[in-house]
Every structure is written in structure tokens, then in C-alpha cells.
Amino acid sequence: MDTHGYLLIRGLLSPMELIPLLGDVTEVLHQAGWLKTGRDPCDRLANMAAACFEDDAPFKVVYDHVFCLPSFHALPHHPVLQLVMKMLVGQHLLIHPKSVGRLIFPNFDRAITPAHQDHTAVAGDEETFTAWLPLHDCPLDQGPLRILDGSHKFGLQPTDGKTGCIPPGTEQGCDWVGGDIRAGDLLLFNSLTVHEAEPNRSDRMRISLDCRFQSYQRAVNPAALVFAGSGRRSWPKTYANWLSDELQYYWARLPLQLKPSKVSWWNLLAARSRRTSVHGMPESWRQLSRMLTA
């Protein structure tokens, strides 16, 4: 990790352990009409008439259903993942609660993710790590990630102000590396490591999960923990239909070292007049939420 800025662990998880989440996600996509009718949803064959991406209203509706899945939030807490991450950050492990699901339509250029560094968006401490987990075998034609070897050594690189991505041809690092990534493989990289997605040129949806980890003794950006903005999402909404409270607000019990980024402060201040309900939160987290939006 120190030398290259990334590592790939083959077969860390059993593909069988990914099936519950993959099944839950494909069922949501099937119900939304994103998959071809008359075919097994497990084949993930895309209905291109429904193609959309993150900024589109139909995408947000479907993604919110995926984000509320208990299985979506359980996977980052897998004991083997925690073991690996503690080897990097030590025993004081913080699992960021807002993992990101990637639901990528094939042959849809707006869904291609250009070169970027996660630290641009995640902020907080640079020693934050992303675990990229495809929920199914992801050969090159389905668009796995590729990594710019050694790019973490160049610090935060200049970006296009509109996209937050690094302009093509200006990336600093060694060689691009990539290849097939199978279900159960773990691609892990530093928040400063430049990476991008290969285009999905298959006929199937690419479904993967970005999980982020760090030591809670290092600076944590509060935007990684709370929802600011329109109130479309909130933790009470997320947890509304959960049968267990084991993973609800787990980070509120940790002695976090909060360090908001400038972007986070602006977002949180802008959200003052659009506060979402914090009903049901532990008192310690209600106090923190009030502090952040004060």
C-alpha cells in the first residue's frame, strides 16, 4: 500500500457471502424496470430504455431503495474486511456508514467515471481507504476499476472545478494497472490514489460497492456521517424498516475526531433551513447533529 497506493486481494470473501446483497439489489432493479423482462434478474441484463445515472431523478429514487437495504450496510462490517482494515489503520477502526453503491448501465457514456481521487469528495484524513467490491464477477468488458500506480505520492492533484475529476492527461503517477476482478476479490486503495472505471461494454448492469475505512483517532469529516441538503435521505428513513438496531448509529458510540472540510461547512450551513428529523437517534448523536448544523 505504501509503495503502490493500492492492493488487490484475490478471493478474500466467498462469492456466496455476496449473494444476499446482490439478490436484494437485483430485486430492486427488477422492480424498477431496469432489467430486461422475461429474463432471470440474476443475469443482470439491462433494459437500456431505463438507462440513467446519479444526477437523474429516476436513478435517485431507485438508489434510495438500495441504500436502505440492511444487507447494503452489513457487508462493510464483515469480520474478514474488518480484520484486513485493522492491519492498515490499527484497532481503532471507523467504518464509514455511507457506503456508495455503483449501479452502472452498459454502453452508457454518462455513467463512465473519469480519473479522480476519493479524498476530493471524502476529505477528512488522507489515511482513509476505499474498498471496492464487485458483487459479481467483473471482467474487463463490464468495467472494473483501474488504478494509477504510485499516484498517491503526488498529494491532492488539480481537478476540473465542475466535475471534481482530474483532466485527462494531467494525472500524476506511474502506469495504469487493471484487469478482471472476480466476486470475492477486494481492491483496496488510499484516498489519494488516482483511479477510474473502465467502460461497461457488456449487456449487463455492473453492481459494486465502495466502502470506506479509517482510524477514528484521525480526522473525520462529519459529512461522511450526516445527510445535508434537501432531506431526501436521512438515517431515520434509512432505518425505518430494519428489524435489528445493531448497526444503527454505531459510529455515535465512538470518540470521533471531527474535522469538517470547507465544502462540508458550506453544505451543513446551507442545510440549516432544511433540517431533517433526528427522531429516534441516540441523545449523543442528536447533540452532535445539532452541533454540526448550529
Side-chain angles (χ1 to χ4, degrees):
M1 182 64 74
D2 289 344
T3 301
H4 300 283
Y6 78 99
L7 58 89
L8 176 64
I9 306 176
R10 294 287 190 187
L12 181 70
L13 302 178
S14 165
M16 297 297 293
E17 295 177 290
L18 303 175
I19 288 178
L21 175 54
L22 179 60
D24 289 345
V25 174
T26 53
E27 178 60 23
V28 172
L29 303 190
H30 174 64
Q31 293 296 327
W34 285 19
L35 304 179
K36 283 190 175 180
T37 58
R39 300 295 296 267
D40 187 342
C42 293
D43 292 335
R44 310 185 325 278
L45 294 172
N47 172 19
M48 293 308 296
C52 54
F53 194 49
E54 294 173 356
D55 293 333
D56 302 326
F59 186 97
K60 293 176 181 178
V61 171
V62 173
Y63 184 80
D64 286 353
H65 284 292
V66 170
F67 187 83
C68 290
L69 293 168
S71 54
F72 182 92
H73 294 268
L75 184 57
H77 293 263
H78 191 289
V80 175
L81 281 180
Q82 292 194 55
L83 177 64
V84 170
M85 296 315 305
K86 286 179 179 178
M87 294 171 67
L88 278 174
V89 308
Q91 294 300 307
H92 301 101
L93 177 63
L94 169 64
I95 302 168
H96 284 210
K98 291 164 59 179
S99 295
V100 180
R102 305 297 182 185
L103 313 173
I104 307 299
F105 278 89
N107 303 299
F108 189 58
D109 287 347
R110 280 206 296 125
I112 297 175
T113 305
H116 65 284
Q117 296 167 296
D118 282 356
H119 189 69
T120 301
V122 177
D125 190 72
E126 293 179 355
E127 287 295 301
T128 298
F129 299 90
T130 296
W132 188 77
L133 291 159
L135 300 185
H136 50 78
D137 288 346
C138 194
L140 279 175
D141 69 337
Q142 291 186 34
L145 295 195
R146 67 173 189 160
I147 298 289
L148 186 57
D149 194 336
S151 52
H152 64 303
K153 298 178 180 179
F154 293 85
L156 200 58
Q157 301 188 27
T159 62
D160 181 314
K162 294 182 180 179
T163 66
C165 295
I166 301 171
T170 68
E171 311 94 338
Q172 298 182 73
C174 300
D175 296 326
W176 285 100
V177 293
D180 296 352
I181 301 181
R182 298 185 292 270
D185 293 348
L186 171 69
L187 177 61
L188 186 63
F189 49 91
N190 184 280
S191 71
L192 291 176
T193 300
V194 177
H195 58 286
E196 66 181 13
E198 299 277 9
N200 182 356
R201 298 305 183 199
S202 68
D203 56 359
R204 302 167 187 256
M205 297 290 299
R206 193 206 82 190
I207 304 172
S208 61
L209 189 66
D210 293 358
C211 315
R212 298 193 173 99
F213 306 83
Q214 69 171 94
S215 168
Y216 60 72
Q217 292 188 322
R218 302 177 74 101
V220 179
N221 180 4
L225 310 173
V226 300
F227 297 98
S230 66
R232 187 184 103 229
R233 271 192 277 155
S234 70
W235 290 119
K237 289 179 182 178
T238 300
Y239 300 147
N241 296 313
W242 286 28
L243 299 179
S244 170
D245 61 2
E246 180 181 358
L247 295 180
Q248 296 184 27
Y249 306 109
Y250 61 88
W251 62 93
R253 298 187 290 269
L254 302 176
L256 301 179
Q257 306 298 315
L258 296 174
K259 184 180 179 182
S261 67
K262 292 181 180 179
V263 172
S264 299
W265 274 121
W266 280 112
N267 288 340
L268 291 167
L269 288 170
R272 287 187 63 181
S273 61
R274 301 188 299 273
R275 294 178 184 175
T276 59
S277 170
V278 292
H279 177 69
M281 288 187 182
E283 179 59 28
S284 60
W285 188 246
R286 287 201 295 270
Q287 292 172 352
L288 178 57
S289 181
R290 287 195 294 267
M291 178 189 75
L292 292 174
T293 55

